[in-house]
PDB file of all heavy atoms in Angstrom:
ATOM      1  N   ALA A 110     147.973 107.863 111.427  1.00 98.00           N
ATOM      2  CA  ALA A 110     146.730 108.379 110.850  1.00 98.00           C
ATOM      3  C   ALA A 110     146.998 108.784 109.403  1.00 98.00           C
ATOM      4  O   ALA A 110     147.904 109.576 109.134  1.00 98.00           O
ATOM      5  CB  ALA A 110     146.235 109.567 111.651  1.00 98.00           C
ATOM      6  N   THR A 111     146.204 108.254 108.475  1.00 98.00           N
ATOM      7  CA  THR A 111     146.496 108.419 107.049  1.00 98.00           C
ATOM      8  C   THR A 111     145.328 109.099 106.348  1.00 98.00           C
ATOM      9  O   THR A 111     144.212 108.572 106.320  1.00 98.00           O
ATOM     10  CB  THR A 111     146.774 107.047 106.402  1.00 98.00           C
ATOM     11  OG1 THR A 111     147.830 106.399 107.133  1.00 98.00           O
ATOM     12  CG2 THR A 111     147.187 107.203 104.952  1.00 98.00           C
ATOM     13  N   PHE A 112     145.601 110.279 105.783  1.00 99.00           N
ATOM     14  CA  PHE A 112     144.593 111.067 105.076  1.00 99.00           C
ATOM     15  C   PHE A 112     144.805 110.897 103.569  1.00 99.00           C
ATOM     16  O   PHE A 112     145.905 111.132 103.064  1.00 99.00           O
ATOM     17  CB  PHE A 112     144.709 112.546 105.470  1.00 99.00           C
ATOM     18  CG  PHE A 112     144.479 112.803 106.922  1.00 99.00           C
ATOM     19  CD1 PHE A 112     145.534 112.727 107.838  1.00 99.00           C
ATOM     20  CD2 PHE A 112     143.210 113.098 107.397  1.00 99.00           C
ATOM     21  CE1 PHE A 112     145.327 112.961 109.182  1.00 99.00           C
ATOM     22  CE2 PHE A 112     142.992 113.326 108.747  1.00 99.00           C
ATOM     23  CZ  PHE A 112     144.046 113.253 109.647  1.00 99.00           C
ATOM     24  N   LEU A 113     143.753 110.497 102.858  1.00 98.00           N
ATOM     25  CA  LEU A 113     143.877 110.204 101.434  1.00 98.00           C
ATOM     26  C   LEU A 113     143.721 111.468 100.605  1.00 98.00           C
ATOM     27  O   LEU A 113     142.856 112.303 100.855  1.00 98.00           O
ATOM     28  CB  LEU A 113     142.825 109.177 101.017  1.00 98.00           C
ATOM     29  CG  LEU A 113     142.826 107.851 101.786  1.00 98.00           C
ATOM     30  CD1 LEU A 113     141.823 106.889 101.175  1.00 98.00           C
ATOM     31  CD2 LEU A 113     144.219 107.232 101.837  1.00 98.00           C
ATOM     32  N   GLN A 114     144.558 111.576  99.571  1.00 98.00           N
ATOM     33  CA  GLN A 114     144.593 112.750  98.717  1.00 98.00           C
ATOM     34  C   GLN A 114     144.630 112.342  97.247  1.00 98.00           C
ATOM     35  O   GLN A 114     145.203 111.316  96.887  1.00 98.00           O
ATOM     36  CB  GLN A 114     145.848 113.592  99.022  1.00 98.00           C
ATOM     37  CG  GLN A 114     145.958 114.857  98.182  1.00 98.00           C
ATOM     38  CD  GLN A 114     147.390 115.332  98.021  1.00 98.00           C
ATOM     39  OE1 GLN A 114     148.292 114.541  97.814  1.00 98.00           O
ATOM     40  NE2 GLN A 114     147.598 116.622  98.111  1.00 98.00           N
ATOM     41  N   PHE A 115     144.021 113.167  96.392  1.00 98.00           N
ATOM     42  CA  PHE A 115     144.235 113.116  94.949  1.00 98.00           C
ATOM     43  C   PHE A 115     145.044 114.346  94.544  1.00 98.00           C
ATOM     44  O   PHE A 115     144.695 115.477  94.918  1.00 98.00           O
ATOM     45  CB  PHE A 115     142.915 113.145  94.177  1.00 98.00           C
ATOM     46  CG  PHE A 115     142.206 111.825  94.067  1.00 98.00           C
ATOM     47  CD1 PHE A 115     140.815 111.795  93.983  1.00 98.00           C
ATOM     48  CD2 PHE A 115     142.896 110.637  94.008  1.00 98.00           C
ATOM     49  CE1 PHE A 115     140.140 110.599  93.859  1.00 98.00           C
ATOM     50  CE2 PHE A 115     142.233 109.421  93.894  1.00 98.00           C
ATOM     51  CZ  PHE A 115     140.848 109.404  93.812  1.00 98.00           C
ATOM     52  N   GLN A 116     146.090 114.130  93.732  1.00 96.00           N
ATOM     53  CA  GLN A 116     146.888 115.248  93.254  1.00 96.00           C
ATOM     54  C   GLN A 116     146.350 115.768  91.922  1.00 96.00           C
ATOM     55  O   GLN A 116     147.114 115.938  90.963  1.00 96.00           O
ATOM     56  CB  GLN A 116     148.356 114.840  93.091  1.00 96.00           C
ATOM     57  CG  GLN A 116     149.170 115.002  94.355  1.00 96.00           C
ATOM     58  CD  GLN A 116     150.642 115.138  94.080  1.00 96.00           C
ATOM     59  OE1 GLN A 116     151.126 116.224  93.767  1.00 96.00           O
ATOM     60  NE2 GLN A 116     151.362 114.035  94.208  1.00 96.00           N
ATOM     61  N   SER A 117     145.083 116.036  91.847  1.00 96.00           N
ATOM     62  CA  SER A 117     144.453 116.630  90.668  1.00 96.00           C
ATOM     63  C   SER A 117     142.948 116.563  90.856  1.00 96.00           C
ATOM     64  O   SER A 117     142.449 115.867  91.746  1.00 96.00           O
ATOM     65  CB  SER A 117     144.837 115.888  89.387  1.00 96.00           C
ATOM     66  OG  SER A 117     144.276 116.522  88.245  1.00 96.00           O
ATOM     67  N   THR A 118     142.229 117.295  89.992  1.00 97.00           N
ATOM     68  CA  THR A 118     140.774 117.153  89.912  1.00 97.00           C
ATOM     69  C   THR A 118     140.360 116.519  88.592  1.00 97.00           C
ATOM     70  O   THR A 118     139.174 116.525  88.246  1.00 97.00           O
ATOM     71  CB  THR A 118     140.094 118.528  90.042  1.00 97.00           C
ATOM     72  OG1 THR A 118     140.725 119.457  89.142  1.00 97.00           O
ATOM     73  CG2 THR A 118     140.179 119.057  91.465  1.00 97.00           C
ATOM     74  N   GLU A 119     141.318 115.948  87.866  1.00 96.00           N
ATOM     75  CA  GLU A 119     140.981 115.350  86.566  1.00 96.00           C
ATOM     76  C   GLU A 119     139.962 114.228  86.705  1.00 96.00           C
ATOM     77  O   GLU A 119     139.110 114.037  85.831  1.00 96.00           O
ATOM     78  CB  GLU A 119     142.251 114.819  85.895  1.00 96.00           C
ATOM     79  CG  GLU A 119     143.177 115.900  85.407  1.00 96.00           C
ATOM     80  CD  GLU A 119     144.502 115.331  84.940  1.00 96.00           C
ATOM     81  OE1 GLU A 119     145.113 114.538  85.676  1.00 96.00           O
ATOM     82  OE2 GLU A 119     144.918 115.689  83.827  1.00 96.00           O
ATOM     83  N   MET A 120     140.035 113.480  87.799  1.00 96.00           N
ATOM     84  CA  MET A 120     139.088 112.381  88.009  1.00 96.00           C
ATOM     85  C   MET A 120     137.678 112.878  88.322  1.00 96.00           C
ATOM     86  O   MET A 120     136.717 112.134  88.250  1.00 96.00           O
ATOM     87  CB  MET A 120     139.589 111.443  89.113  1.00 96.00           C
ATOM     88  CG  MET A 120     139.684 112.050  90.486  1.00 96.00           C
ATOM     89  SD  MET A 120     141.045 113.230  90.668  1.00 96.00           S
ATOM     90  CE  MET A 120     142.458 112.163  90.400  1.00 96.00           C
ATOM     91  N   VAL A 121     137.555 114.158  88.652  1.00 97.00           N
ATOM     92  CA  VAL A 121     136.234 114.759  88.858  1.00 97.00           C
ATOM     93  C   VAL A 121     135.611 115.133  87.523  1.00 97.00           C
ATOM     94  O   VAL A 121     134.391 115.027  87.330  1.00 97.00           O
ATOM     95  CB  VAL A 121     136.341 116.003  89.765  1.00 97.00           C
ATOM     96  CG1 VAL A 121     134.974 116.677  89.923  1.00 97.00           C
ATOM     97  CG2 VAL A 121     136.927 115.636  91.121  1.00 97.00           C
TER      98      VAL A 121
END
Side-chain angles (χ1 to χ4, degrees):
T111 305
F112 299 88
L113 304 185
Q114 181 205 42
F115 279 150
Q116 273 203 83
S117 183
T118 49
E119 289 172 311
M120 64 288 297
V121 177

